[in-house]
Amino acid sequence: MKMVLLAALAVAPALHAQTQWKLATGYRVESFHTRNIVQFAQDVERASSGALRIEVHANNTLARLADIPAAVQGGKAQAGETIMTSLVADMPIAGADAVPFVVHSYADARRLWDLQRPLIDTHLAAKGIKALYAVPWPPQGLLSVAPVRSSADFKGTRMRTYNPATVRIAQMLGATPVDVPMVDVNKALSAGKLDSMITSALTGVENQVWGQIRQYYGINAWFPKNIVFVNQQAFDALPASVREAVVQAAAQAEARGWALSAAVAEESVAELQRRGIKVDRAPAELDAELRRLGERFSREWVQSVGNEANKIFIPYYFQR
Ligand code: PCA
C-alpha cells in the first residue's frame, strides 16, 4: 500500500505539469468583462486541478486592444480579449455587431451571435485562433455635453469613436471623429476634446463622465461584443481533460457575462442619472434622422460585406 502511494506521488508532478497562459485585454481590471475573465481563469485552474493557470493582463499592458488578436496569433500571449468590431479589417462580418438599430435587446443580440459565431469561428481558425466565448456590452446610447435636437447639432462637433462603425456614423452626422480608447475617455473629456460619443452608460460610469457630459439619450443603437480567444496551438497542446475544462469554463463565462451585462446596463443608466446627467429618449427629429442613418449604414454594410452579411441577416430577419 505504502509503495503504491509513493509511486503515485512520484508521478504526480508529471500529471500536474503546470501550463501558464497569458491572457491580454485592453479593458480595466474593474470592468465587468475583466472580472468575468478572472472568474473564468479561476474556474479553469480549479477544474484542471491547477494544470492550467491563466494570468490576466488587463488595461492594454501586454498589448493594445486592437493588437491583441495579432499578439495571440504570434504567441506573445496565448489568449486574449478584444472588441469584435476591431476585427473588421480582416473579417468584415465581425462588424455585424455595430450595424445600428438591428439588435434591440439581449435576446436579439443572442440570436445574432448564434448566427455569427460559425463564421467568426471559421475566420479565426484561418489565423490559428480558437474563439472561446463572447459577451456583449450594454446597449449603446448617445452621451453629449450639450443637448441635441437634430443631426444639425453635430455639424462641426467632435465625436468620440472606438471602431470603424462609430467613425462612419460621426462622418454621416457631419462630426469630426476622434478616436479615444475606452480607458482614456475621462482624460479626453476633461481636456475638452469631445462633444459627444456613442457608447454604453456603463462606459460613461467607468469614466466618470458627469464632469462634462450633461445628456444621455437611450438610443439603444447596438450591442457590441467582446470576444475571448486562444491560440489554437496552445490549446491543442493541452491534455484532453484540460481542453475540456477550458471549453466548459468558457461556456459558463459566456452565460455569466450576458447576465452581468444586462444587470450593469440598468444600474449604470441609474447611476448616470444620480450623478446629475439628464436621461432621456432621443428627441423626435433626431430619432427619425438616426433611423434613416441606420438604414443607410445597413445598406452600405451589406453591400461591402457581401454574401456573409446575407448569411446572417436573412435568417436574423426572416427565420424567427
Ligand atoms: N464601451 C466600449 C465599447 C463599447 C462600450 O460600451 C468603448 O466605449 O470603447
Side-chain angles (χ1 to χ4, degrees), residues 19-189:
T19 303
Q20 293 253 8
W21 279 0
K22 288 187 176 128
L23 187 154
T25 174
Y27 298 102
R28 295 190 183 96
V29 178
E30 313 85 64
S31 135
F32 87 93
H33 285 293
T34 311
R35 284 190 277 121
N36 195 35
I37 289 174
V38 168
Q39 171 85 56
F40 161 72
Q42 286 167 353
D43 289 350
V44 167
E45 191 167 341
R46 194 169 14 82
S48 69
S49 312
L52 177 59
R53 268 204 92 220
I54 303 176
E55 212 173 74
V56 180
H57 296 252
N59 216 6
N60 300 303
T61 46
L62 191 61
R64 282 180 342 145
L65 187 68
D67 301 333
I68 290 174
V72 170
Q73 195 178 3
K76 180 176 176 192
Q78 288 71 37
E81 178 199 48
T82 194
I83 186 161
M84 194 119 74
T85 57
S86 76
L87 301 170
V88 293
D90 298 337
M91 41 187 104
I93 202 65
D97 271 36
V99 181
F101 311 121
V102 171
V103 165
H104 301 288
S105 64
Y106 281 95
D108 285 354
R110 180 81 250 173
R111 284 200 306 120
L112 180 70
W113 178 221
D114 289 344
L115 292 166
Q116 199 185 16
R117 176 149 196 175
L119 303 173
I120 296 287
D121 279 346
T122 307
H123 286 292
L124 284 177
K127 292 172 166 295
I129 294 177
K130 176 181 170 62
L132 290 178
Y133 68 88
V135 169
W137 288 88
Q140 306 291 286
L142 172 64
L143 291 98
S144 176
V145 169
V148 277
R149 239 167 297 121
S150 74
S151 63
D153 294 326
F154 290 88
K155 297 254 165 358
T157 64
R158 297 148 309 167
M159 191 171 206
R160 181 254 168 173
T161 59
Y162 66 80
N163 64 8
T166 45
V167 170
R168 183 71 193 116
I169 290 166
Q171 287 167 346
M172 285 174 159
L173 288 168
T176 304
V178 183
D179 184 63
V180 180
M182 193 284 203
V183 295
D184 296 329
V185 163
N186 181 290
K187 219 171 20 178
L189 272 171

Side-chain angles (χ1 to χ4, degrees), residues 185-220:
V185 163
N186 181 290
K187 219 171 20 178
L189 272 171
S190 306
K193 290 184 178 158
L194 304 173
D195 301 301
S196 69
M197 57 185 174
I198 296 180
T199 185
S200 56
L202 174 68
T203 289
V205 170
E206 284 193 8
N207 283 286
Q208 307 189 354
V209 297
W210 34 84
Q212 294 79 25
I213 297 288
R214 309 305 314 154
Q215 303 280 336
Y216 173 84
Y217 301 104
I219 59 174
N220 249 9

Side-chain angles (χ1 to χ4, degrees), residues 205-279:
V205 170
E206 284 193 8
N207 283 286
Q208 307 189 354
V209 297
W210 34 84
Q212 294 79 25
I213 297 288
R214 309 305 314 154
Q215 303 280 336
Y216 173 84
Y217 301 104
I219 59 174
N220 249 9
W222 63 87
F223 291 60
K225 293 181 291 288
N226 279 4
I227 181 163
V228 175
F229 45 87
V230 59
N231 179 294
Q232 184 75 53
Q233 274 184 344
F235 181 80
D236 291 343
L238 298 170
S241 64
V242 181
R243 290 202 298 267
E244 184 54 32
V246 170
V247 169
Q248 267 189 22
Q252 285 164 5
E254 181 157 297
R256 188 173 58 233
W258 285 64
L260 265 173
S261 181
V264 293
E266 292 184 15
E267 278 166 26
S268 44
V269 175
E271 176 67 5
L272 291 182
Q273 200 157 26
R274 276 196 295 276
R275 297 287 185 167
I277 291 177
K278 199 155 178 273
V279 172

